Amino acid sequence: MSVLIVGSTALDSIKTPTRENPRLLGGSASHASVAASFFSPVKLVGVVGEDFPRRYLALYKKHKIDLAGLQVLPGKTFHWSGEYEANMNNRRTLLTELGVFETFNPTLPSTHQDAAFVLLANIAPSLQQHVLEQMKRPKFVAADTMDLWLNIALPDLLKLLKHLDAFVLNDSEAHQLTQEDNMFLALKKIHKMGPNYVIIKKGSHGSVLSAPQGFFLCPAYPLNRVVDPTGAGDSFVGGMMGYLASAKGGIDANIRRAMIYGSVVASFCCEGFGLQRTTKVTRKQIQQRVKELERLTRY
Ligand code: AMP
């Protein structure tokens, strides 16, 4: 089954303590789509400007990502710039130039409206809602977010939450949303807002799922060296949705394994700038890390 993914399609300029890389292919939808494409066909919904490099379109195509829902508008592509501290965890945004995102109104081609799996990757919650309203009868809808929307669009986000199967957010966002220091109490509160599946991401410490069946503690793949963690969260949720769409059986039977696959794709994402490493990964390499995680967590 295919996964429809809407989110940002961006040019990212990323600064780490050792290197600087301007105008890489980035955006939540780009990272999530490439990650999902290892497992299932992907339909990308987004917008870019006329300055969007052709080689980046070629990268999407290499991953067989359906671009019928990618609008190319007059103007500049969304440009985001961030700088990491020495610990490679703390990041500050240096610049956000919305460009063509300012007037983006995602209208889905009819071929996209019956996708079974929908990932509303990080983008304004009103746009996420607008896309969801155009879907016919999705089997499973997941959304990601960021602190910006909790700050400036909370009512929109709360409205969206009522229509989600799964909501994915990081630990500081969960705290901001619920005012709970205890993660398990925060999870309880978020369930009350709508979604049956809530996943809290904890960066290099993995993630926690709270689902009808109970909790699952998903490890992060241990890395000796992180080059650039930008997009790791998007890769995680993209990989998870791609795997879920490919798996036989219901959500409950597969979501834990899907998180492990997401975690492994995210580990590759961290090993290169932007999408440089992820776009070179093979299914065999993914499988090897999944096996290793299994060995590391069995007792
Ligand atoms: P992550 O590292 O998972 O937080 O995701 C980083 C990605 O989010 C980058 O590729 C950015 O282009 C994208 N991004 C940054 N700010 C925004 C925003 N306001 N809306 C949508 N995407 C954004």
Side-chain angles (χ1 to χ4, degrees):
M1 284 190 233
S2 59
V3 188
L4 180 125
I5 299 179
V6 62
S8 56
T9 37
L11 297 175
D12 284 354
S13 297
I14 298 165
K15 234 174 153 178
T16 66
T18 52
R19 277 175 67 188
E20 207 170 328
N21 250 311
R23 297 188 171 268
L24 297 158
L25 173 59
S28 57
S30 304
H31 282 283
S33 296
V34 170
S37 74
F38 290 108
F39 312 103
S40 293
V42 175
K43 296 176 194 300
L44 170 65
V45 175
V47 64
V48 295
E50 285 161 330
D51 59 345
F52 195 69
R54 277 170 186 231
R55 65 180 188 285
Y56 292 166
L57 289 174
L59 267 185
Y60 289 141
K61 285 183 188 151
K62 182 184 154 215
H63 284 264
K64 299 193 167 56
I65 294 168
D66 181 336
L67 299 180
L70 181 70
Q71 296 177 25
V72 183
L73 295 182
K76 293 205 163 170
T77 302
F78 175 68
H79 180 209
W80 174 81
S81 172
E83 179 175 18
Y84 287 90
E85 288 178 16
N87 68 11
M88 293 302 282
N89 274 325
N90 299 343
R91 173 176 85 189
R92 90 191 157 92
T93 292
L94 300 175
L95 174 100
T96 305
E97 292 171 327
L98 288 178
V100 288
F101 252 103
E102 222 151 350
T103 52
F104 181 44
N105 181 23
T107 307
L108 301 192
S110 57
T111 48
H112 285 38
Q113 293 173 357
D114 48 17
F117 287 77
V118 179
L119 172 55
L120 309 167
N122 175 29
I123 193 178
S126 56
L127 289 178
Q128 293 175 314
Q129 178 90 36
H130 183 58
V131 167
L132 189 53
E133 279 164 6
Q134 295 171 64
M135 299 304 299
K136 285 200 178 124
R137 204 185 285 238
K139 184 174 145 89
F140 191 72
V141 180
D144 193 358
T145 195
M146 74 185 290
D147 54 352
L148 175 69
W149 311 122
L150 293 167
N151 292 331
I152 69 166
L154 186 58
D156 290 344
L157 183 64
L158 291 175
K159 192 174 148 205
L160 177 76
L161 279 171
K162 296 195 177 85
H163 304 281
L164 299 179
D165 297 299
F167 186 44
V168 182
L169 70 176
N170 69 31
D171 42 9
S172 61
E173 291 155 3
H175 172 74
Q176 188 178 343
L177 181 62
T178 62
Q179 301 303 314
E180 281 295 347
D181 288 319
N182 180 300
M183 189 179 54
F184 295 96
L185 292 180
L187 285 163
K188 248 188 179 173
K189 280 194 173 174
I190 301 170
H191 280 304
K192 287 204 176 119
M193 297 174 189
N196 275 332
Y197 300 82
V198 182
I199 295 174
I200 295 185
K201 297 173 289 181
K202 288 141 46 81
S204 57
H205 300 291
S207 56
V208 177
L209 163 76
S210 174
Q213 280 181 317
F215 297 114
F216 175 57
L217 309 179
C218 176
Y221 182 85
L223 290 176
N224 289 329
R225 187 166 155 259
V226 171
V227 174
D228 168 23
T230 307
D234 309 309
S235 303
F236 167 76
V237 69
M240 179 188 93
M241 288 296 278
Y243 182 85
L244 270 180
S246 75
K248 287 198 186 86
I251 300 297
D252 288 325
N254 292 303
I255 192 162
R256 295 166 182 228
R257 185 166 292 271
M259 286 172 70
I260 296 287
Y261 275 87
S263 194
V264 163
V265 181
S267 73
F268 285 111
C269 171
C270 292
E271 288 183 313
F273 267 96
L275 274 153
Q276 284 171 353
R277 177 79 175 102
T278 322
T279 47
K280 292 191 184 74
V281 168
T282 63
R283 245 330 271 267
K284 196 171 163 201
Q285 290 170 320
I286 292 173
Q287 209 52 45
Q288 276 166 351
R289 284 195 179 179
V290 166
K291 271 221 135 106
E292 218 176 317
L293 266 191
E294 206 175 316
R295 187 179 58 78
L296 284 169
T297 52
R298 191 189 311 131
Y299 68 94

